[in-house]
Amino acid sequence: MAKDLLFKSKVSTGRKVWNIASKTLVYIVLAVLCIFWVLPFVYLVIQSFAVKYESHLIIPAEFTLDNYAALVTDQTYPFWRWYLNTLGIALIVAVLQTCLTLMSAYAFSRLQFKTRKNYMKLILVIGMFPGFLGMIINYWILYYLGLATEYTSIAGLILVYIGGCIGNYYIAKGFFDTISKSLDEAAMIDGANRNTIFWKVIMPLSKPIVVYTILLAFTGPWGDYMFASVMAQGKTELANVAVGLQGMVTKAAGTTYFPVFCAAAVVVSIPIVTLFFLLQNYYVEGVTGGAVKG
Amino acid sequence: MTAIEYLALPWYKRILYKITSFLSGIPHVFSNLFTKKIPGIFVKAGKGVVRVFRNIVNIFMDGDYKTRVSYFVMGFGQITRGSIIRGVLNLVYEIAFFVFLFTIGVPNLQLLGTFGRIASSEYIHPELGITIYQYVDDSFLILLFSIVTILLAAVLIFLWYKQINESMALQNLNKIGRKVSDKQTLNDLVGKNYHMVLLAFPTFGLIIFTIIPLIFMIIVAFTNFSSAYQNPKELFDWVGLYNFQKLLGMGEGGYQFVSVFGQILLWTLIWAFFATFTNYFLGMGVALLINKKGIKLKKLWRTMLITTIAVPQFISLLFLNKFLATDSGALNFILESIVINGQPLISAPIKFLEDGLITKITIIIVNMWIGIPYTMLMCSGILMNVPADLYESARIDGASSFKMYMKITLPYMLFVTGPYLISNFVGNINNFNVIYLLSGGGPMFTHVNGMPIQTRIYEAGQTDLLITWLYKLAMGSVNKEYGLASVIGIFVFIVVASFSLILYGKTNAVKNEGDFQ
């Protein structure tokens, strides 16, 4: 009798109905949410083929590929130049920043040096100042170094991005903290030095965090407006995509450039979205781990 | 109050108790800071200085001639005792520093009091007969080189103290017949000094691109550095606390300035609060829905939401900027074309980005649209880690799903993601992109306290955060007010630092009470 009570929990019809109802409700809510989240992007893609933007036409009357051609041919808003600028910056920054971030994270995680704790506190306190404050001065320093005129300002921007990379050590450090220290000790007994341990023992085990760091370092420059706008100083040909497109959207009269903006948005998004979906699992791992460790 | 007494309280009294104990804890955090921590730091520093000076004297007394010469010629003791690499590096640094000091350092430090005498001079070229302008003193470089000189001097003192200690240590090692060879020094670089190799570049970057500019910018708060007094054409000058007074309504522009500043500060805090908590709780809600037992196509739902994370944020924001426009935006049209009972849903276009209050609500909702997928992703990862036996035992005890959420899921999530919440709150205080790219800080202030704005408030808008206002001040198309921008930056630091101090203090207290469960 007691067994029956424990294992054959009675499922009443009322309960069944409630279950189905609640499930349907959840499906409806999820469907509505997805519509809210995805439809604007569908609209954006459709508008990128529009001949002319008309607010009362969700689906434009005529379709064309001219907007995509305008990205290459338009003289006032040289999108292809912004695109190449950003791509170049992102590639260089992804490589260098990943190396430097992982190096600092490893040092803070594994190497017991005297100033370790104070150094981390210093980075924490510096991080409380708005980063833009220093950027104003960075511009002038780079100006006097000759790195803020014409195309050298792109090199200057790369330097600024890389210069601030030690502040991003936190998530990677959290990851390194979870790798057992006995691995280091075992390698040490086998005669490996710190350098060998870092590159040959820890790095191969850290693929998720390496991929995550590269992903963030690569996508960061695509979305940066603040620093890039300081370095561009209003010159169209030196802008990155964010600065350039912002100028196009806000300065161009009315909505003439809206379809072109949509086309640009599609072209910018495709590589990043692809990258994201390919590396989705690594990204999720980094986000979750980073949140848990703060 | 003991735990038993607390548990006996009804739920609303418990919440009240938590809130009051949190608020009453705040003064304690600060009083602790000013009565214990900061004096503690000074006492510690004082003791340290005394110890260092005693050490310097002792080493001079105990050292042989090699160590004593090291007091003047850095690295001498190390070179003569076989540790050549270290010694030479010290010596080179000393020579380089003094060359720098006398060629660049001293001349600039002398001018620091006035930031230079004349900005430019003109003279008539003797042969060509045309007037030639020449830049003479540059306030920016004077300040920059002064800061660099002082930092380099600090490094010199540090290295000097380190090398006399090392020289003394080598002297003692020599007595027992041992020494530190160059080979040993190089080996240490991949051994016990490996952190120097790893951190050399990042530290260099930190000093050049973050620390020096920050020190510079904090000093700028006390100057009139602006587009009116800009290098290299004009000199700028010390103005004392003028910028602080102006922002606090005691200078030019009067009370209107402090009024605008106060409104922007208030909105910054309101924004950070709503942006953090709406995203957190709604994101967690969506994660719970997707993770609910028996829901199919989990991967599909998640992937669709992740699209928003994958598309660069600035694109979504700029797109919405046009999408929500009053006259030409598609959303207003869609709302107008929805007809219920023969009446359109809205009779006139909604000013999504042109009305103070509506814009603020719009921004918070748009931020939810952008932020919820991110929180959803994070939360669903953590939700899977909630110990399953907790739910099982709760179910056996007959708990409802709501009760399980309130008693198990929520406390667990808050416990695990507490630090994330704090850093997210702080991040939102400085969330530049969402505001600047969506509303541009607009609509502008036209009236303050019922009076039309007379003075220049530097393009401040009703949805500006401190950080976007700072940006406008420094990058303004008409005026660049670096001094004021710097003061605002310092205020941001104060706000962020106080919040971090209070909140981190609280989470530490939670942690000390023992782990979750």
Side-chain angles (χ1 to χ4, degrees), chain A residues 27 30 34 276-282 284, chain B residues 290-291 295-307 376-377 384:
Chain A
Y27 278 124
L30 282 178
C34 283
F276 236 85
F277 282 117
L278 288 179
L279 307 173
Q280 198 181 349
N281 292 338
Y282 296 106
V284 174
Chain B
I290 292 179
N291 285 0
I295 293 292
K296 296 202 173 71
L297 303 172
K298 284 187 166 56
K299 186 124 196 188
L300 174 80
W301 305 119
R302 207 172 293 161
T303 311
M304 281 170 108
L305 290 182
I306 288 178
T307 326
M376 182 274 300
L377 208 59
M384 286 173 205

Side-chain angles (χ1 to χ4, degrees), chain B residues 242-300:
Chain B
Y242 176 79
N243 288 321
F244 289 87
Q245 286 169 342
K246 190 171 179 184
L247 200 67
L248 295 176
M250 293 180 285
E252 177 205 332
Y255 74 95
Q256 289 195 333
F257 225 102
V258 71
S259 185
V260 166
F261 173 66
Q263 288 187 44
I264 290 179
L265 179 64
L266 186 68
W267 161 239
T268 305
L269 296 178
I270 292 174
W271 146 261
F273 179 82
F274 277 105
T276 309
F277 288 100
T278 50
N279 275 358
Y280 184 71
F281 286 108
L282 293 174
M284 200 198 300
V286 176
L288 283 171
L289 286 186
I290 292 179
N291 285 0
K292 196 175 151 67
K293 241 188 192 170
I295 293 292
K296 296 202 173 71
L297 303 172
K298 284 187 166 56
K299 186 124 196 188
L300 174 80

Side-chain angles (χ1 to χ4, degrees), chain A residues 86 89-90 93-94 161 216-225 228 240-242:
Chain A
T86 318
I89 294 171
V93 169
Y161 286 142
L216 280 206
F218 182 78
T219 51
W222 290 88
D224 174 55
Y225 180 86
N240 71 354
V241 280

Side-chain angles (χ1 to χ4, degrees), chain B residues 15-35:
Chain B
I15 294 173
L16 204 68
Y17 173 74
K18 286 231 160 157
I19 293 172
T20 46
S21 68
F22 173 74
L23 291 178
S24 63
I26 291 174
H28 180 71
V29 171
F30 282 100
S31 71
N32 210 5
L33 183 76
F34 287 110
T35 56

Side-chain angles (χ1 to χ4, degrees), chain B residues 330-403:
Chain B
L331 184 61
N332 264 318
F333 169 74
I334 295 171
L335 291 179
E336 271 169 354
S337 60
I338 297 175
V339 179
I340 300 169
N341 295 337
Q343 288 268 327
L345 199 61
I346 52 167
S347 50
I350 300 176
K351 294 180 171 174
F352 285 113
L353 298 173
E354 288 169 28
D355 177 282
L357 185 65
I358 297 177
T359 311
K360 286 178 182 175
I361 296 169
T362 310
I363 288 174
I364 288 173
I365 291 174
V366 166
N367 185 63
M368 277 154 61
W369 186 70
I370 285 173
I372 282 178
Y374 184 84
T375 340
M376 182 274 300
L377 208 59
M378 185 196 83
C379 286
S380 41
I382 298 169
L383 281 173
M384 286 173 205
N385 297 337
V386 184
D389 48 342
L390 285 181
Y391 288 119
E392 216 160 282
S393 48
R395 208 170 289 126
I396 288 170
D397 289 347
S400 66
S401 352
F402 180 71
K403 197 142 201 177

Side-chain angles (χ1 to χ4, degrees), chain B residues 34-177:
Chain B
F34 287 110
T35 56
K36 284 186 191 154
K37 285 206 173 145
I38 292 179
I41 290 170
F42 277 109
V43 169
K44 220 174 160 188
K47 278 182 186 165
V49 169
V50 170
R51 204 177 57 231
V52 166
F53 272 104
R54 198 178 289 159
N55 206 6
I56 291 171
V57 174
N58 282 347
I59 291 174
F60 198 80
M61 305 293 255
D62 299 342
D64 58 8
Y65 83 95
K66 286 174 184 168
T67 307
R68 287 182 186 174
V69 171
S70 302
Y71 274 63
F72 308 99
V73 182
M74 278 170 63
F76 185 79
Q78 289 160 315
I79 294 171
T80 49
R81 290 192 177 96
S83 190
I84 292 167
I85 294 181
R86 281 162 176 259
V88 167
L89 285 178
N90 277 324
L91 189 60
V92 167
Y93 184 81
E94 188 182 16
I95 294 168
F97 173 76
F98 280 106
V99 170
F100 179 84
L101 183 67
F102 289 116
T103 52
I104 300 174
V106 172
N108 280 305
L109 278 171
Q110 280 172 341
L111 294 175
L112 190 60
T114 56
F115 282 119
R117 296 153 309 206
I118 40 168
S120 56
S121 64
E122 48 182 296
Y123 66 98
I124 297 166
H125 197 278
E127 285 164 28
L128 299 169
I130 48 171
T131 318
I132 289 180
Y133 295 93
Q134 205 174 16
Y135 295 135
V136 183
D137 290 334
D138 186 329
S139 305
F140 184 90
L141 288 180
I142 289 170
L143 182 52
L144 183 66
F145 283 130
S146 302
I147 293 170
V148 171
T149 311
I150 290 167
L151 286 182
L152 288 178
V155 173
L156 182 87
I157 292 170
F158 173 75
L159 286 179
W160 177 82
Y161 181 65
K162 215 175 156 206
Q163 60 93 23
I164 59 168
N165 270 305
E166 269 179 24
S167 181
M168 191 65 209
L170 285 173
Q171 183 186 332
N172 290 336
L173 276 181
N174 276 3
K175 268 185 206 156
I176 54 169

Side-chain angles (χ1 to χ4, degrees), chain A residues 22-23 26-27 29-31 33-34 36-38 40-41 43-44 53 55-56 58 100 103-104 106-107 111 113 119 125-126 128-130 132-134 136-138 140-141 144 159 163 166 193-195 198-199 222-223 225-226 229-230 241-242 245-246 249 254-255 258 261 265 268-269 272-273 276-277 280 283-284 287-288 291-292 294, chain B residues 138 140-141 190-191 194-195 198-199 201-203 205-206 209-211 213-214 216-217 230-231 286 289-290 292 294-296 301 303-306 308-312 314-316 318-319 322-323 328-330 333-334 368-369 372-374 377-378 381-382 416 419-420 432-433 436-437 467 470-471 474-475 482 486 489 493 496-497 500:
Chain A
S22 76
K23 248 189 214 172
V26 171
Y27 278 124
V29 171
L30 282 178
L33 284 180
C34 283
F36 266 111
W37 258 277
V38 175
F41 291 114
Y43 176 73
L44 180 123
Y53 171 71
S55 67
H56 61 279
I58 301 297
L100 295 180
M103 277 157 66
S104 10
Y106 179 76
L111 307 175
F113 51 98
Y119 199 162
V125 172
I126 287 175
M128 289 174 186
F129 282 98
F132 182 71
L133 210 53
I136 302 163
I137 302 306
N138 272 333
W140 284 107
I141 293 177
Y144 283 107
L159 280 180
I166 199 170
N193 61 33
R194 286 278 178 196
N195 194 33
F198 178 47
W199 294 106
W222 290 88
Y225 180 86
M226 251 200 286
S229 66
V230 175
V241 280
L245 289 177
Q246 198 264 354
V249 166
T255 49
F258 187 68
F261 163 76
V268 170
S269 302
I272 295 182
V273 172
F276 236 85
F277 282 117
Q280 198 181 349
Y283 182 75
V284 174
V287 167
T288 321
V292 174
Chain B
D138 186 329
F140 184 90
L141 288 180
V190 288
Y194 189 46
H195 63 275
L198 288 185
L199 290 176
F201 259 112
T203 307
L206 183 76
F209 290 105
T210 310
I211 293 183
L214 263 186
F216 193 112
M217 210 51 199
Q230 192 159 23
N231 53 314
V286 176
L289 286 186
I290 292 179
K292 196 175 151 67
I295 293 292
K296 296 202 173 71
W301 305 119
T303 311
M304 281 170 108
L305 290 182
I306 288 178
T308 2
I309 308 180
V311 174
F314 80 92
I315 285 183
S316 317
L318 287 177
F319 166 72
K322 287 284 164 191
F323 189 67
S328 57
F333 169 74
I334 295 171
M368 277 154 61
W369 186 70
I372 282 178
Y374 184 84
L377 208 59
M378 185 196 83
I382 298 169
V416 172
Y420 162 80
F432 175 85
N433 274 11
Y436 193 81
L437 297 181
I467 183 77
L470 193 168
Y471 179 87
M475 297 293 294
Y482 300 120
S486 166
F493 172 77
V496 169
S500 313

